[in-house]
Amino acid sequence: MRLTVDGVAHEVDVEADMPLLWVLRDELKIKGVKYGCGIAQCGACTVHLDGAAVRSCQVWAEDAEGAEITTIQGLGQPEALHAVQAAWIEHQVAQCGYCQSGQIMQAAALLAEDPAPSDAVIDEVMSGNLCRCGTYPRIRAAIHSAAARLREA
Amino acid sequence: MGRLKTFTRRAFLVGSAAVAGGVAFGIYTVRKPHENPLADSLAPGEAALTPYLRLDARGVTLITPRADMGQGAYHVQAALLAEELDLDLAEVRTDPGPPGAAYWNTALAEEAAEFSVPSEGLMRTVAETAVGAVMKMMGMQITGGSTTVPDQFDKLRAAAASARETLKAAAAHQTGVAADKLRTENGQVLLPDGSALPYAALTPALAQVEVVQDVPPRDPSQWRQLGQPMQRIDILAKSTGTQVYGIDVEIDGMAHAAVKLNPAQGGEMRGFDASVAEKMRGVQAVLPVTGGVAVVADNTWRAFQAAQAIEVQWGPAEMPATMADHWQALADAFTEDARDSRQRDDGDVDTALEAAEVIEAEYRAPYLAHAPLEPISAVVRVRDGKAEVWTGTQVPRFVQKNVAAIAGIAAEDVTLHVQMMGGSFGHRLEDEVVRRAAEIAVQMPGVPIKLTYSREEDMTHDFPRQIAMARLRGTVDAGQVAAMDLSIASPSVMVSQMGRQGISVPGPDSQIVAGAWNAPFAIPHHRVTGYRAAPLAPISSWRSVGASHAGFFHNAALDELIHAAGADPLAERLRLCNDPLARHVLEAVGEMSSWEGVLGDGRGRGVALTTSFDVRCAEVVEVRATDDGIRLEKVWVAAEVGRVLDPVNFENLVQGGVIFALGHAIHSEITYRDGRAEQSNYDGYPAMRLYQTPKIAVRGLENGDRVRGIGEPPVPPAAPALASAIFAATGTRLREMPFAKFVDFV
Ligand code: FES
Ligand code: FES
C-alpha cells in the first residue's frame, strides 16, 4: 500500500483496516500524531486528509491511499512554523501538550475554511478536541490570533 | 508585595562533585535520626550531595528529580536557575536525573526532595501525625502535593548562586583577575577589560577552585526574568509535534505489548485460551501477567486486537457488588469505632445543636478516574542482570525498586529514564504499567518491551479518586451561622495507595478531612470529624487529593447554613474569616467579580474558599439558567502563593485546574458493578469541552512569606462555587456530584 504523508511517499505492508493512526505512529514512526482514545472522542490523532481534518484512529489505511496526508510535523516545523503553531507559541497554550497536535491540526483546517471564525464557530468546531489540562481559554485566543496572522500573510 | 524574609535567610551547605566532563553543584544533606526511615543506605551523620545543576562543555544543565506532567515543572526550575546564573532561559538543558546514572545514587535520590508539609498554625497538628510523617517520607520520592515550587525554590537558587560565584572564582584562578572585579551576564563571566569567558569554557578551571559557600540567592527585587511572562522551555516542541512523551519512546529491536486485564478490578486471571490470538498477524507471544494476559506483537494496534481475541477465565473482585453497597459502606462508617480524626472542635457543638432547630444535609463525591490524555505506557528491557526502564512517572524510586524485585536484581541495576508526561493528575503516582511491562520483559530477555495500555484498559484499571460522603448538622442564629458539625466518611486513600508499595500507614488519615478541618472560619461552634470507611475499590491520589471531596463538602455545607441564616454568601464568609491571607483572597474575588447579592435575569453566583497545600484559593462562579440548561458564564479566581514566578504559566495552570474541577463536578464519575468499572473511555466519562468553558479571570496574591505551588489548589473550590451559583440561579441545591445527574447543562 502506498501512502503519501507530509509530501513523502511511503510503501507500507499493513492490513487494509489498520487505523491510519497506527500506520503513522508504529510503521512510519511519525510520533507527533497522538493516540488518546481510539474511538473519535478526543481528537488527539487529528490529521489532514486532502486538507480536511479527520480522526486518524477512524480512517482505515486503505481509505487513505491516494490522499495527501498531512500531520502536525508536515504542517510546519520548529524552524518554519505554520501561523497556527506560531499563535500557539505566542499564547503559550500547551500544558502537558499531548492534545495540542490534534488541536492545532483541527484549528488549521478550520482557518483554511473560515479565515475569521466567530466564537460560536470555534466552539462548535473545536469541541471535538479534548484537553484534559484545560487549555481551552488559550486555544480560543490563539485561534483568533492565528486568523489575524493568516489574513496579514 | 510579599514579605519574603525567609527566602534569603535559609542557608544551605552547597557542594560540588566532579562528574563526567564537568562539575555538579548541589546541596549537602545529612541524615538525621528518625527523619527518613527509607534512607537506610545513608548512615547517620553521613553526608550526601544532591546535585541540582551540572556545568560541562555543553553548558548548564538542570538536574531535576521532579516529574513534568504538564505543569511546567522543568520550565519553572530552569527559570530559577537561569535567574541566579545570569543565563538565558533557553540555554538551560534539563536532565531528569535518573536513579542509576553515573553519579546519581540512591542516597542522593532519597534526599532529592523533602516534602514541605505545611506547618503553620493549625496545620502543624496534621504534620505531626503519623500520616504527616508518611507524607513527608513519600515526598522524598514523588512529585506531588504541589511541592515542586516550594521545595526547589530555595535549594535550586542556593545551588545556582553558589555555582555563579564559583564560576567567578574559576575565572579569577584562570586569569589572575580578582573575583570581585568580575561580573556575570548572558552565560559568561565578564572581565574588566570587556572580554568574556563562557561558562562552558571555565569547566576545567572549576575543578581547581573551592566551592564558594554561603552565597545568598538574589533578592526578588533584583530579578530580571522571574515574575515576568516568559516562554516555557517546552513550548516550541509541544506546538510542533516534536515533544517526545513516554508513549513515543522507540528503542532498537523493541516489541509492542498490550494487556487484557481482569475487568473486575484486582481480580485474578485463572486461565486463558490464546489459540486465536496466537495466529493473528504480527503476534510474537502471549504471556501471563498479574491479573491478566499480555500480547507481544510488532505493532501496538495488532497487540490491541490480539489481546481482545483472548478468552480468559477471571476471578472476582474484592469489593461490594453495587454502588448502593459502596455508599452504604460509607454511611455505616459514621460510628465511634470508625472515627479517624477530629482536628477541629471549637466551642460546644453538642450543646449548640440541642438549643436550636438543626439543619441537616448529606453530601456525596463519586469515584473519579484520572484519565490524562496520554494513556500509560512503559518500555522495559531486562538483560544480563540489568534492567532499563523508560516511562513517565512521579515515583522513580518505587519504579526502580519494583522492577528490581520482578527481575530479581538489585535496585542499583535498574536504570530509569523518566519521560515527559502527557498529563497525570496523580495517575502516574502508580506504577502498575511498569510492573506489568517488567513481568513481560523478564519472560523475553533482551527484548525491549513497550507496553501501552489501551484507553479502555487505562480507564477501567485506574485507581480512582476516593468515594466520600458527608453529613452536616448545623444551626443559625440572628442572621449568622452559629454551629456547624461536619462528619466526613471515606476510605483511606493513603492506606490504599501506599499499600500497593508495601508501606503501611499508621495513624489518622488527614486526607479524609483535608480542606475542611482547616477551613479558616471562626464559626462559634465548629466541629469536623473524619470517619474511616473500610477499603472498597482501590483508590489513589487525584489532583488535590482529600480536599477534592472535603473542600466541596465544607463549602457546600457552609453555604446551606449561610442561606438559612439569610446572609450573603460572601459577606458572611468574610465576617467569619479568621485568617488574614484567606480574607485577602475572598476580598479579591469579591472585587474582581464586583460581587453583589441577587443578580436576577436567571443568573446566579456562588463563592467558595479552600485552603489546600497551604494555598488559600477563592473562586466565584457565575451561571445563567437558560432553556437549554445551565450555562457557565464566568469564573473569578484568587490564590495566595507568596510569589508568582511565571504569570503566564500560573494563569494557564489555574484556569486548567478550574476547568478540570468543573468538568468533573458536572459530568464525571466511575461506577462499579461487580467490581467492573462501567466507564471505559471518554464517551462514558465525559469532561469539559471548549464550548462549555466559561471565561476565567485569575489573580495571584503575594502577601504570604512562602512561595507555593499552584497545580492543585484551584481544584477544590470550583465545584462548591458552581453548586452555590446554581442554587442562586435556580433554587436547586446540589449535594452530590456529578451535577448533571440532577440538572441539565448547556
Ligand atoms: S485517538 Fe482518535 S479521536 Fe481520540
Ligand atoms: S495540554 Fe494536556 S491535554 Fe491538552
Side-chain angles (χ1 to χ4, degrees), chain A residues 27-77:
Chain A
E27 302 295 317
L28 301 178
K29 313 292 184 202
I30 299 172
K31 304 285 189 180
V33 186
K34 298 302 189 212
Y35 165 62
C37 71
I39 59 162
Q41 284 291 315
C42 78
C45 65
T46 304
V47 300
H48 295 172
L49 219 57
D50 292 331
V54 297
R55 307 293 184 234
S56 64
C57 68
Q58 300 302 308
V59 176
W60 285 11
E62 69 171 7
D63 294 332
E65 245 194 315
E68 275 295 331
I69 302 161
T70 308
T71 75
I72 180 79
Q73 287 158 267
L75 186 75
Q77 291 79 40

Side-chain angles (χ1 to χ4, degrees), chain A residues 93-100 103 130-135, chain B residues 373 422-423:
Chain A
V93 174
Q95 286 187 32
C96 85
Y98 195 77
C99 70
Q100 302 297 349
Q103 306 276 7
L130 188 60
C131 176
R132 290 288 290 163
C133 299
T135 62
Chain B
L373 199 57

Side-chain angles (χ1 to χ4, degrees), chain B residues 561-585:
Chain B
L561 296 178
I562 291 173
H563 175 73
D568 174 79
L570 180 59
E572 180 67 354
R573 279 180 172 84
L574 280 167
R575 189 188 70 76
L576 288 168
C577 186
N578 60 359
D579 167 6
L581 294 176
R583 167 175 291 276
H584 285 311
V585 298

Side-chain angles (χ1 to χ4, degrees), chain B residues 294-307:
Chain B
V295 174
V296 180
D298 60 356
N299 168 299
T300 310
W301 179 74
R302 289 184 186 128
F304 284 172
Q305 298 292 106

Side-chain angles (χ1 to χ4, degrees), chain B residues 255-501:
Chain B
H256 298 264
V259 283
K260 180 170 189 167
L261 301 174
N262 191 334
Q265 180 81 303
E268 60 175 347
M269 188 273 291
R270 290 181 171 165
F272 64 93
D273 173 1
S275 48
V276 176
E278 273 163 354
K279 291 191 202 79
M280 290 171 71
R281 180 168 170 190
V283 172
Q284 296 164 4
V286 178
L287 304 163
V289 292
T290 302
V293 190
V295 174
V296 180
D298 60 356
N299 168 299
T300 310
W301 179 74
R302 289 184 186 128
F304 284 172
Q305 298 292 106
Q308 281 180 21
I310 304 171
E311 298 285 337
V312 195
Q313 293 87 52
W314 302 121
E318 270 182 50
M319 71 171 98
T322 70
M323 284 314 295
D325 300 329
H326 287 245
W327 291 115
Q328 190 58 48
L330 296 188
D332 292 345
F334 292 109
T335 66
E336 271 313 298
D337 277 355
R339 192 167 123 183
D340 188 72
S341 71
R342 181 168 283 168
Q343 305 271 4
R344 186 66 170 269
D345 196 1
D346 302 342
D348 183 350
V349 170
D350 290 324
T351 309
L353 290 174
E354 272 163 27
E357 189 190 334
V358 175
I359 296 152
E360 291 187 286
E362 186 177 283
Y363 305 88
R364 293 177 176 202
Y367 292 117
L368 292 173
H370 299 82
L373 199 57
E374 180 199 7
I376 49 178
S377 70
V379 180
V380 179
R381 178 174 57 203
V382 178
R383 67 173 177 202
D384 306 332
K386 307 243 186 237
E388 224 168 326
V389 180
W390 294 260
T391 194
T393 179
Q394 294 172 257
V395 288
R397 291 265 299 125
F398 290 161
V399 163
Q400 194 184 30
K401 174 170 76 74
N402 293 330
V403 170
I406 290 164
I409 58 179
E412 301 84 74
D413 291 324
V414 177
T415 304
L416 171 63
H417 308 274
V418 176
Q419 302 298 310
M420 184 68 87
M421 292 168 240
S424 179
F425 317 120
H427 198 29
R428 298 172 212 273
L429 288 165
E430 302 286 345
D431 62 351
E432 301 288 310
V433 66
V434 190
R435 298 192 208 193
R436 294 212 165 81
E439 289 179 11
I440 303 166
V442 294
Q443 298 180 74
M444 295 181 72
V447 182
I449 299 293
K450 179 195 225 171
L451 171 59
T452 306
Y453 274 33
S454 66
R455 171 58 57 197
E456 289 79 8
E457 289 293 341
D458 185 318
M459 191 173 287
T460 53
H461 294 96
D462 187 15
F463 302 118
R465 194 273 302 271
Q466 65 284 351
I467 191 175
M469 180 186 276
R471 288 179 178 167
L472 162 71
R473 301 179 72 226
T475 64
V476 298
D477 184 31
Q480 300 183 341
V481 176
M484 177 167 175
D485 183 18
L486 189 68
S487 303
I488 303 175
S490 149
S492 171
V493 64
M494 288 298 137
V495 165
S496 186
Q497 187 170 351
M498 287 298 100
R500 284 184 290 279
Q501 300 297 348

Side-chain angles (χ1 to χ4, degrees), chain B residues 160-173:
Chain B
S162 173
R164 182 189 69 229
E165 295 307 313
T166 309
L167 277 162
K168 282 196 212 164
H173 178 83

